[in-house]
Amino acid sequence: MHWTRTIPFSALSLSLGAGALFAASLTAHAQAASTPSARQASTETSGNEWWRHAVIYEIYPRSFQDSNGDGIGDLKGVTERLDYLKNLGIDAIWLTPIYPSPGVDYGYDISNYTAIDPTYGTMDDFNNLVAEAKKRGIRILMDYVINHTSDQNPWFIESRSSRTNPKRDWYIWRDGKGETATSKGQPPNNWQSWFGGSAWQWDEKTRQYYYHYFYVQQPDLNWRNPEVHKAMDGVLDLWMQRGVAGFRIDAVSRLFEDPNLHDDPYLPGRNAYGDRNIQHKYTDDLPEVHDVLKEVRAVVDRYPGDPVLVTEADEPNVQALTKMYGNGDEVQLPMDFQIADVNELSAPRFRELFNQIESNTAHGQPEFFFSNHDQRRQWDRYGDGKHNDEIAKLMAVLELATRGTPQMYYGEELGMRTTDPARIEDVHDPIGRRGWPKDKGRDGERTPMQWNGQPDAGFTQAGVKPWLPIPPSAATYNVATESKDPDSIYNAYKRLLSLRKTNPALRDGVQTTIDNNDPDIFAFLRRDGDATVLVALNMSAKQRTVAFDLSKYGVSGTRLTPLYASPSQAGMQPAGHVDLAPFAALVAQVE
Ligand code: NOJ
């Protein structure tokens, strides 16, 4: 599945007085923030915009490390691997949902926001993970699934129990079209679920439809109801008080829908599920989303340590992405799906998009990633089938040497590849069954972490069947094997992560794109005071010799000392004559 929206952004102007809701929730949270644990935490020193210099590492807990031999990863497993992460050089972990869930959408259907799913462990395991991570200087970010709950959440069970239940309006219920006493009629309009089919589900008991942007088992919360704000803000408080450093907010652009239920316009063609393509014009990116983001920000800002908000919002252009920063009062790190989804090794395309986000009008900090649990892994997506390892290293430089906050996905540092199920019977992710074989779902990017070359990859105990199979490539692409090979993808990541921390220009320096017309080479400078680093990426299969004239950019140095190069290069070379092998990546100090 391509987790990419190709539909143009369309904002609607609706105003529904979210300011009042915001004020109400602030009062509630002023109280929460003065609880003893919050007061105690507030004596800690401020985080000092730590997220500007951090590298975030996404862990899909189900697939990272199984500590109890049930074939499913868990929190104790993550804790056991903290030393690995520390040694790799990351600063924060984003944990995808670990709350109780029936697991239809593997945790993104939450039945209780305030507990830990027993599959992953206990609250004590969670507290221990936070404490052990803190000892190693690693922060924990939680997933805040804000658009919808599970249909097994007690809130929804109450809501669906009768039309007069106090929680009825916590979700979005509407009458069908042409309904009679004996027929359910038609859904209220043509809105479609992202996962296929109508976005409306008939509920026989109270004879109305409820709205679900995602699976039928994921009813959307009604963010126009102040009670929903109160309850969800309480969730933020709970986890902040447990010591988390912030949240990645799920599916944020889907929070509001047109109250007048206008039909969405159709687009040509059909999707992998057989539905007509549609523009989610009346269900995506409504302006009220920003009121909620401001509210979330205000709640977390009552806690010390400079909490961070990351948003999943696959915005269609940089203008829409920029809105996520607000006036510095919304999110600090909106994930840049534009760059993640370039999907081809194209110097002009990357140059254009990196330049655009660098000059975003909010002066916001970019957030870069190339893989995650919804996205096919970058090793295959950018690999050409022949030079995938070289390209994986080049992509690591693109992610880690650009100015912004990088977000890695577990195993990308090994060159883990997407391994789709071979048969429909083996598919776990429901969209993979619905879309088979065009869309095989997301199992392929969620296979277990490859710790060693054993049959279980060191993920679980010998003889235990992991919840998803270990890909054959794990025999050679694994931590144990790659850590011994100086030229491995893993060691490239380690070197780059360490350089980012130690080289001031790479850590803080401004970014200037150079040689803007080269069709193959994406090159840029990172400058901090007098220190300049040149980064040159050959995104082609051609051997290239490039003459960089750095004086045009006010740089007096003319010689380059490699700080990192793949393939490896030793010794200085003149900036006026730089040899770059196919898919070479060079990071060099300019002297
Ligand atoms: C985005 C999550 O990343 C994805 O895994 C999930 O299926 C949807 N949101 C729905 O929660």
Side-chain angles (χ1 to χ4, degrees):
M1 154 148 196
H2 295 289
W3 202 256
T4 316
R5 185 178 51 183
T6 47
I7 294 159
F9 171 74
S10 149
L12 296 173
S13 50
L14 293 165
S15 86
L16 284 145
L21 306 178
F22 173 48
S25 95
L26 279 188
T27 318
H29 296 292
Q31 286 159 7
S34 64
T35 59
S37 60
R39 271 201 305 275
Q40 187 185 351
S42 70
T43 57
E44 290 171 15
T45 53
S46 143
N48 195 21
E49 302 205 325
W50 58 272
W51 41 267
R52 283 189 191 278
H53 302 117
V55 175
I56 301 172
Y57 186 94
E58 178 191 352
I59 290 185
Y60 197 69
R62 212 177 164 82
S63 297
F64 198 60
Q65 178 68 63
D66 172 20
S67 75
N68 62 357
D70 62 0
I72 299 174
D74 46 47
L75 291 176
K76 275 191 180 149
V78 176
T79 308
E80 283 170 14
R81 294 298 186 178
L82 285 172
D83 286 334
Y84 165 80
L85 297 170
K86 173 81 188 150
N87 187 259
L88 179 64
I90 61 99
D91 307 283
I93 295 170
W94 152 31
L95 286 177
T96 61
I98 50 172
Y99 320 98
S101 159
V104 174
D105 194 11
Y106 289 91
Y108 282 94
D109 46 326
I110 297 173
S111 50
N112 176 358
Y113 284 87
T114 58
I116 302 290
D117 192 302
T119 312
Y120 298 123
T122 62
M123 195 58 93
D124 281 348
D125 296 336
F126 176 78
N127 292 339
N128 189 42
L129 168 61
V130 174
E132 288 298 318
K134 190 171 181 190
K135 282 186 199 158
R136 292 161 178 84
I138 295 176
R139 293 171 159 92
I140 304 287
L141 309 184
M142 297 294 270
D143 216 312
Y144 184 46
V145 185
I146 184 170
N147 177 68
H148 47 269
T149 68
S150 159
D151 62 352
Q152 300 307 307
N153 191 305
W155 300 342
F156 187 70
I157 292 174
E158 276 195 52
S159 180
R160 83 187 321 178
S161 65
S162 83
R163 287 197 185 199
T164 54
N165 183 277
K167 291 209 170 52
R168 181 66 170 183
D169 189 46
W170 281 41
Y171 293 84
I172 297 163
W173 292 96
R174 293 286 183 275
D175 292 334
K177 275 194 207 158
E179 186 200 329
T180 65
T182 51
S183 125
K184 61 184 183 179
Q186 295 298 313
N189 66 9
N190 75 344
W191 291 350
Q192 274 176 22
S193 160
W194 189 255
F195 289 153
S198 169
W200 295 100
Q201 177 68 16
W202 174 252
D203 203 50
E204 186 57 40
K205 178 150 190 235
T206 55
R207 298 194 59 78
Q208 274 193 315
Y209 285 85
Y210 67 85
Y211 175 71
H212 58 95
Y213 194 101
F214 296 97
Y215 291 124
V216 167
Q217 299 87 345
Q218 292 170 300
D220 275 45
L221 283 165
N222 176 12
W223 276 91
R224 295 202 164 99
N225 182 328
E227 293 290 311
V228 167
H229 287 244
K230 230 193 265 168
M232 291 301 283
D233 291 351
V235 169
L236 295 171
D237 278 325
L238 181 123
W239 295 104
M240 288 306 300
Q241 286 167 17
R242 292 205 171 272
V244 308
F247 297 87
R248 173 266 191 190
I249 313 177
D250 186 65
V252 79
S253 41
R254 330 297 198 206
L255 290 191
F256 289 89
E257 304 75 31
D258 170 25
N260 299 317
L261 303 192
H262 282 106
D263 273 350
D264 274 337
Y266 285 112
L267 298 170
R270 289 190 178 265
N271 64 21
Y273 316 119
D275 304 320
R276 288 179 71 181
N277 284 330
I278 207 164
Q279 179 189 353
H280 293 270
K281 177 172 173 182
Y282 293 106
T283 57
D284 271 10
D285 277 320
L286 269 66
E288 295 92 327
V289 162
H290 297 284
D291 298 324
V292 174
L293 289 177
K294 287 189 180 70
E295 175 181 328
V296 174
R297 177 68 183 276
V299 174
V300 301
D301 274 356
R302 300 208 170 255
Y303 294 84
D306 200 5
V308 73
L309 297 179
V310 178
T311 33
E312 184 208 31
D314 45 349
E315 298 306 303
N317 54 49
V318 77
Q319 290 76 19
L321 186 66
T322 301
K323 288 190 184 164
M324 294 281 155
Y325 297 110
N327 290 316
D329 53 358
E330 295 189 29
V331 305
Q332 295 99 325
L333 301 175
M335 294 164 70
D336 191 328
F337 277 81
Q338 298 265 300
I339 287 177
D341 286 335
V342 167
N343 291 337
E344 55 170 332
L345 214 51
S346 160
R349 193 75 192 113
F350 279 123
R351 187 158 48 224
E352 182 193 348
L353 291 172
F354 274 95
N355 283 347
Q356 280 182 10
I357 190 70
E358 258 312 288
S359 49
N360 75 75
T361 51
H363 307 293
Q365 169 85 350
E367 213 256 25
F368 302 129
F369 69 102
F370 291 103
S371 294
N372 69 25
H373 65 284
D374 297 322
Q375 215 102 3
R376 300 184 72 73
R377 283 183 176 271
Q378 68 213 54
W379 189 90
D380 335 76
R381 214 148 38 86
Y382 289 94
D384 66 349
K386 271 198 205 146
H387 306 89
N388 290 36
D389 287 2
E390 279 313 308
I391 294 172
K393 292 177 199 167
L394 177 149
M395 294 303 289
V397 176
L398 187 62
E399 190 177 50
L400 298 173
T402 35
R403 194 194 73 83
T405 301
Q407 180 183 288
M408 295 171 57
Y409 183 47
Y410 79 93
E412 85 172 58
E413 72 274 24
L414 306 174
M416 271 179 70
R417 60 191 71 177
T418 316
T419 310
D420 285 325
R423 309 174 314 163
I424 187 169
E425 305 86 279
D426 300 330
V427 174
H428 284 66
D429 185 15
I431 50 170
R433 288 195 294 275
R434 186 170 197 149
W436 188 273
K438 276 195 193 148
D439 178 353
K440 295 183 174 171
R442 296 165 292 178
D443 293 1
E445 52 263 34
R446 298 174 177 179
T447 57
M449 176 70 175
Q450 298 166 184
W451 297 105
N452 62 36
Q454 299 301 311
D456 62 18
F459 165 70
T460 181
Q461 294 168 10
V464 171
K465 189 172 173 214
W467 80 282
L468 283 176
I470 308 290
S473 56
T476 42
Y477 289 76
N478 62 64
V479 175
T481 308
E482 290 189 49
S483 39
K484 290 186 215 123
D485 171 5
D487 280 336
S488 64
I489 298 173
Y490 168 76
N491 273 317
Y493 268 88
K494 267 198 81 172
R495 279 202 290 276
L496 287 162
L497 283 162
S498 148
L499 256 184
R500 250 188 97 82
K501 285 212 163 66
T502 50
N503 185 296
L506 283 176
R507 186 181 143 87
D508 279 322
V510 290
Q511 182 168 323
T512 314
T513 304
I514 60 172
D515 278 26
N516 281 316
N517 296 320
D518 196 305
D520 303 326
I521 312 288
F522 177 32
F524 54 91
L525 302 175
R526 299 289 313 275
R527 281 189 277 191
D528 182 60
D530 290 341
T532 302
V533 168
L534 172 107
V535 181
L537 305 170
N538 182 359
M539 297 197 167
S540 79
K542 296 175 223 154
Q543 172 76 39
R544 289 283 315 270
T545 301
V546 189
F548 291 112
D549 177 4
L550 302 184
S551 65
K552 282 201 289 197
Y553 307 97
V555 176
S556 54
T558 56
R559 296 186 70 79
L560 305 178
T561 302
L563 300 168
Y564 167 90
S566 58
S568 63
Q569 270 181 35
M572 272 193 167
Q573 53 177 326
H577 187 106
V578 178
D579 286 324
L580 291 167
F583 305 112
L586 174 68
V587 182
Q589 195 77 45
V590 182
E591 327 221 4

